């Protein structure tokens, strides 16, 4: 099993560009989430999903969109990149709340 | 108020020492609790779940106090390889909330 796969691993964007961070899991997990991690801020929840077709906002959703058309995939779209979105982005998945999350290896995004 | 709060540390301890971390959570209805470990520039990895009765995994012991809304992690006989950031995690209402982490440095 590949687990949770995130692509790309590194990305540099110019202010105003849009892009999609990809996340896929092969464990048939219902729960999936996107977090960003900034120095000293810990992991902050951007968006989450409890199943295909169901998404909801987390703590810091502004500037990001998600969709969940299949159980396996949960892409995160940056609509118009800003320097404040420079961060490390982690995707995670789980069977449910009692089992904890499995994380992807992260995408390091720099917006210039 | 943050959902989960932790002392950021760092905790600097010698090899073989016992070290304890605590964290507090704000929502008394929280349902599940975990400790994660994160190495520098890596993704967080599940260390252990935390149960009300307390649980142990080798040198690691986790405790949950629902009345006081805090979670603890005890590491005995610290190893150099235990150096990392330890994240306290709380689950409620379909969301996992992460503390900012406590940094542990184990010195030879």
């Amino acid at each position: 099993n590949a687990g949770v796969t995130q692509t790309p691993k590194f990305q540099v964007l110019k202010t105003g560009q849009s892009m999609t961070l990809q996340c896929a899991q092969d464990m048939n997990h219902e729960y999936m989430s996107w977090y960003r991690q900034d120095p000293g801020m810990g992991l902050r929840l951007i968006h989450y999903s409890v199943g295909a077709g169901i998404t909801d906002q987390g703590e810091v959703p502004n500037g990001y969109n998600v969709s969940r058309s299949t159980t396996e995939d949960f892409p995160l779209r940056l609509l118009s990149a800003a320097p404040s979105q420079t961060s490390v982005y982690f995707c995670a998945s789980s069977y449910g709340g009692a089992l904890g999350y499995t994380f992807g290896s992260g995408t390091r995004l720099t917006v210039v | 108020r943050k959902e989960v709060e932790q002392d950021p540390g760092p905790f600097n301890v010698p090899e073989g020492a016992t070290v304890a971390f605590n964290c507090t959570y704000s929502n008394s209805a929280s349902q599940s609790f975990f400790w994660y470990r994160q190495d520098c520039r890596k993704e967080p990895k599940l260390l252990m779940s935390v149960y009300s009765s307390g649980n142990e995994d080798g040198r690691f012991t986790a405790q949950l106090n629902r009345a006081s809304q805090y979670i603890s992690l005890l590491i005995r006989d610290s190893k150099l390889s235990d150096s990392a950031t330890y994240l306290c995690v709380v689950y409620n209402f379909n969301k996992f909330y992460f503390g900012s982490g406590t940094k542990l440095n184990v010195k030879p």
Side-chain angles (χ1 to χ4, degrees):
Chain A
N1 285 348
V4 180
T5 302
Q6 288 185 239
T7 55
K9 292 192 183 303
F10 301 93
Q11 183 71 49
V12 179
L13 288 178
K14 293 183 178 178
T15 297
Q17 286 184 314
S18 63
M19 79 160 294
T20 300
L21 307 186
Q22 301 292 343
C23 176
Q25 52 90 9
D26 61 357
M27 298 173 284
N28 202 32
H29 286 171
E30 291 295 328
Y31 285 54
M32 294 187 76
S33 291
W34 276 101
Y35 290 86
R36 59 177 289 174
Q37 187 172 36
D38 303 299
M41 297 290 291
L43 285 151
R44 291 184 292 169
L45 181 64
I46 305 171
H47 286 284
Y48 68 102
S49 170
V50 298
I54 306 169
T55 64
D56 206 345
Q57 296 181 350
E59 305 165 74
V60 289
N62 292 340
Y64 308 95
N65 274 352
V66 292
S67 59
R68 184 96 182 269
S69 56
T70 66
T71 299
E72 293 77 21
D73 299 299
F74 191 43
L76 177 72
R77 184 164 178 80
L78 278 69
L79 307 172
S80 177
S84 61
Q85 293 179 305
T86 294
S87 188
V88 180
Y89 291 83
F90 288 106
C91 178
S93 73
S94 173
Y95 277 119
L99 299 174
Y101 265 145
T102 298
F103 280 83
S105 58
T107 294
R108 284 166 174 75
L109 176 69
T110 301
V111 183
V112 298
Chain B
R1 183 183 174 189
K2 288 185 179 180
E3 292 279 342
V4 182
E5 302 218 43
Q6 292 182 252
D7 180 346
F11 285 60
N12 298 307
V13 303
E15 269 187 296
T18 296
V19 61
F21 308 137
N22 292 325
C23 90
T24 58
Y25 60 95
S26 61
N27 191 331
S28 61
S30 295
Q31 299 153 283
S32 304
F33 309 88
F34 310 89
W35 282 101
Y36 275 71
R37 170 192 170 127
Q38 186 174 26
D39 293 292
C40 188
R41 299 182 67 79
K42 298 286 190 180
E43 72 273 22
K45 293 187 177 176
L46 180 63
L47 181 65
M48 59 197 303
S49 301
V50 187
Y51 305 115
S52 297
S53 55
N55 49 299
E56 189 173 305
D57 183 1
R59 298 182 292 109
F60 298 84
T61 300
Q63 296 274 357
L64 167 64
N65 185 319
R66 283 191 181 270
S68 301
Q69 293 178 217
Y70 82 78
I71 306 154
S72 65
L73 177 68
L74 182 77
I75 305 175
R76 292 181 299 278
D77 189 23
S78 299
K79 310 292 185 192
L80 295 175
S81 57
D82 293 334
S83 296
T85 297
Y86 291 83
L87 306 173
C88 177
V89 182
V90 170
Y91 171 81
N92 60 62
F93 305 110
N94 295 327
K95 299 177 191 176
F96 289 85
Y97 294 94
F98 285 75
S100 298
T102 298
K103 188 169 176 59
L104 172 66
N105 296 315
V106 181
K107 306 290 189 181

